[in-house]
Amino acid sequence: DAAGKSLGWEIETVQSTPQKITGITATATSELAAFGRVAANAVNGIYNDSNFWESVGTVEGFGEDRDPAITFDLQTAHQLDHFLI
């Protein structure tokens, strides 16, 4: 499962220049892993819409997730100005 892999992504911090924070992980309440739409795709550089994270939804026949959520773990505290995906 790719959702637990440690991946890097560039994040803007309050510093004068962007700082690359490595080791970011993403997990989600559900994901369509059979179609490659796992939470880790939100932080691993996937730019193709057909592979971005998606929950299982509610009536598509893959399960039910009525309150989907994705969580990003930066592994330590950072003061962020904004977070770009």
Side-chain angles (χ1 to χ4, degrees):
D1 183 331
K5 290 184 179 175
S6 179
L7 305 162
W9 193 252
E10 220 167 286
I11 295 174
E12 300 282 334
T13 66
V14 292
Q15 299 175 4
S16 60
T17 59
Q19 173 188 356
K20 185 172 184 174
I21 300 173
T22 59
I24 298 172
T25 58
T27 55
T29 54
S30 66
E31 54 190 20
L32 288 176
F35 295 98
R37 299 180 72 97
V38 296
N41 289 349
V43 294
N44 69 5
I46 294 275
Y47 296 107
N48 183 340
D49 282 343
S50 66
N51 287 324
F52 201 73
W53 168 69
E54 184 177 355
S55 75
V56 296
T58 59
V59 294
E60 288 78 19
F62 300 104
E64 188 168 311
D65 188 352
R66 293 195 175 275
D67 192 17
I70 189 166
T71 302
F72 300 98
D73 186 352
L74 306 180
Q75 308 300 321
T76 189
H78 294 276
Q79 187 175 357
L80 300 178
D81 179 48
H82 59 279
F83 183 80
L84 300 174
I85 298 177

